[in-house]
Amino acid sequence: MVLYGYMVYNTSMKSRYQYRIYPSEQQRKDLARLFGCVRVVWNDALALCV
């Protein structure tokens, strides 16, 4: 995974960082699976709260 980051300066605001990642094909599949599981858990938790 390649990670690029840079800092943005603004005189009226606090500085912040922005990052961009370039995952490999296997990492893309793993991230998609992870976020799919996270989405299911989040939706189930919301259903319990309502």
Side-chain angles (χ1 to χ4, degrees):
M1 186 177 314
V2 179
L3 173 67
Y4 291 104
Y6 60 92
M7 189 167 190
V8 177
Y9 291 99
N10 191 333
T11 56
S12 63
M13 295 175 62
K14 293 183 179 179
S15 60
R16 63 186 171 101
Y17 291 92
Q18 290 186 338
Y19 294 97
R20 172 83 175 146
I21 60 170
Y22 298 95
S24 66
E25 191 61 36
Q26 183 60 45
Q27 288 169 331
R28 285 183 193 171
K29 291 178 184 177
D30 292 341
L31 287 170
R33 183 180 305 133
L34 171 68
F35 289 126
C37 293
V38 168
R39 187 186 72 239
V40 169
V41 171
W42 175 258
N43 289 336
D44 289 347
L46 284 177
L48 291 173
C49 292
V50 176

